[in-house]
Amino acid sequence: MPSYPSPPPAAVNPSAPAETHRDLAAIAEINRLMYRQSTPREVLTSTATETGKHLGVSRCLVTIGGSGESRLTAEYAAAGFQTAGAQRINALAELISRMSPDALGGIELNVSTSPLLHDLGLTSALGVVLTDKETQLPAGALIVGTSQMRRWKSNESFFLQAVGDQLVLSVNHTRLRSLVRSLAVADERTGLLSRGAYVDCLLMESNRARSQGTPLSLIVLHVDRGGDLLRQHGDAAVDHFIEQLARAVSSAVRQTDVAVKYTAWSLVFILPDTNFENAKALAEKLRHVASTVHPSWGAQDLTISAVVAESTARPGDETEDRVTEWMNRAEAGIDDARQLGGNTLIELATP
């Protein structure tokens, strides 16, 4: 799957302990990996694996959802450990949900007081109950354990709580993205969302980027003189070309990117976790891919322009204001491309 690296995480206080630096860097990396996954189960699996490896534990177990069979589970098992299975993971999560956490949200268990650990080959465990911040209801659990007694540190409780908060957000976001895709697909041949989903997708991705402090960009891929081509060659020919174009460029973007059929002759790509420089590089790639797609009427009168704009990150702006300003800049970029005669890349600096 193609990827566009995000900027490195923000620097922390140089005087902070080395383990704090490592934990914050790991949280940022796990967060990036979460949002590159296309399904909730992939989010859970990625989180369990990376968390288990970072903390050097025997197992990392995670469950998301309500009670019973509706829960999703995932696990990481170190070398020599068999998979635990959903039933054991859920049983341990139920146990933790009935216990009182410490000041950082951590819940410690050992095999002498919690026999469930024995079936998992664990002697000591640390877990956190996950909470949906919107509903304030329990949303699951994130648990790590070792086969030897371990004195769990406060930074490990903090680490699990921070990862768990991001996990719930990521799963909710992935489910919402899938729902939007399923409800708003323009047609089965291209898989593009309709223009009616454009604003909703921008708002959704902008809210997520704001809460996570991650970059967000968009690209408009515009067939120059589209109106003239429509009049000269007809709706059917232009529609067929756009279908070909959509299929060709889909291999150059990630599954987590959102593609929208913006007009009869332009596509928009909303790019989570993508800064301005990486979006520019992708725009050039998309223009190159587009140049290899030839319309049925011949390519002698066909050129492609692209507009790149990154969402603003001013902390005082409301999401709706940010999205409106962002859309207006993209529209202005399309006008700039027309005035320049097309066949160009318009780079709109972030205000």
Side-chain angles (χ1 to χ4, degrees):
M1 181 188 303
S3 62
Y4 330 121
S6 296
V12 298
N13 188 335
S15 63
E19 64 185 13
T20 300
H21 287 266
R22 289 194 296 270
D23 284 349
L24 290 175
I27 290 168
E29 180 59 23
I30 291 171
N31 187 29
R32 279 195 289 265
L33 290 173
M34 284 181 197
Y35 283 97
R36 290 175 182 167
Q37 310 309 314
S38 57
T39 68
R41 189 173 297 280
E42 289 172 357
V43 172
L44 266 63
T45 300
S46 170
T47 301
T49 300
E50 297 304 318
T51 298
K53 289 180 179 179
H54 174 73
L55 293 179
V57 295
S58 304
R59 294 187 186 277
C60 179
L61 312 171
V62 58
T63 179
I64 284 283
S67 59
E69 296 180 358
S70 62
R71 284 181 172 174
L72 285 177
T73 62
E75 59 183 296
Y76 160 79
F81 285 81
Q82 299 294 322
T83 57
Q87 185 174 359
R88 288 175 175 171
I89 295 173
N90 285 327
L92 192 56
E94 288 285 354
L95 174 63
I96 281 183
S97 71
R98 298 192 296 268
M99 300 178 69
S100 299
D102 60 25
L104 289 175
I107 300 168
E108 292 191 35
L109 304 91
N110 63 72
V111 71
S112 62
T113 57
S114 305
L116 276 174
L117 296 182
H118 181 270
D119 293 340
L120 297 168
L122 302 178
T123 301
S124 177
L126 175 68
V128 295
V129 174
L130 309 182
T131 302
D132 188 313
K133 299 301 182 183
E134 292 187 7
T135 64
Q136 291 302 306
L137 295 175
L142 177 59
I143 307 161
V144 292
T146 58
S147 58
Q148 305 295 324
M149 283 301 298
R150 177 161 170 168
R151 184 169 183 175
W152 300 98
K153 301 177 183 177
S154 59
N155 69 290
E156 292 170 322
S157 292
F158 167 80
F159 181 88
L160 289 183
Q161 194 68 64
V163 170
D165 287 345
Q166 303 304 324
L167 174 63
V168 175
L169 287 171
S170 179
V171 167
N172 288 344
H173 178 75
T174 304
R175 284 173 172 161
L176 180 58
R177 178 187 283 143
S178 297
L179 179 62
V180 169
R181 287 184 187 275
S182 65
L183 294 178
V185 171
D187 60 66
E188 295 180 356
R189 290 174 295 183
T190 65
L192 299 178
L193 300 186
S194 67
R195 180 160 179 168
Y198 179 47
V199 175
D200 288 340
C201 289
L202 289 179
L203 289 169
M204 178 179 69
E205 296 292 352
S206 185
N207 276 325
R208 203 278 298 177
R210 185 173 190 171
S211 67
Q212 302 301 315
T214 54
L216 177 64
S217 299
L218 67 77
I219 296 171
V220 182
L221 198 64
H222 180 74
V223 178
D224 297 318
R225 298 176 300 280
D228 293 339
L229 296 176
L230 206 61
R231 286 187 292 272
Q232 293 169 15
H233 306 293
D235 292 353
V238 172
D239 285 347
H240 180 65
F241 171 69
I242 292 297
E243 291 166 13
Q244 290 180 300
L245 181 64
R247 286 193 292 269
V249 298
S250 63
S251 62
V253 300
R254 304 163 299 186
Q255 292 183 12
T256 51
D257 297 330
V258 181
V260 177
K261 187 174 182 181
Y262 188 58
T263 70
W265 50 82
S266 61
L267 313 178
V268 169
F269 298 89
I270 305 169
L271 312 172
D273 304 298
T274 306
N275 64 15
F276 188 60
E277 292 301 318
N278 289 324
K280 286 196 300 183
L282 178 61
E284 289 286 19
K285 182 176 182 179
L286 294 181
R287 290 185 67 218
H288 173 72
V289 172
S291 70
T292 67
V293 181
H294 302 300
S296 58
W297 62 84
Q300 67 276 3
D301 58 349
L302 181 70
T303 58
I304 303 289
S305 292
V307 177
V308 181
E310 184 176 6
S311 175
T312 59
R314 293 187 294 262
D317 290 352
E318 295 293 333
T319 300
E320 291 78 3
D321 294 336
R322 295 174 68 189
V323 166
T324 299
E325 182 275 338
W326 196 22
M327 292 172 61
N328 290 341
R329 274 193 293 134
E331 282 287 348
I334 296 173
D335 289 338
D336 291 344
R338 289 194 190 101
Q339 293 175 14
L340 291 171
N343 198 26
T344 186
L345 173 64
I346 302 294
E347 304 173 8
L348 300 177
T350 307

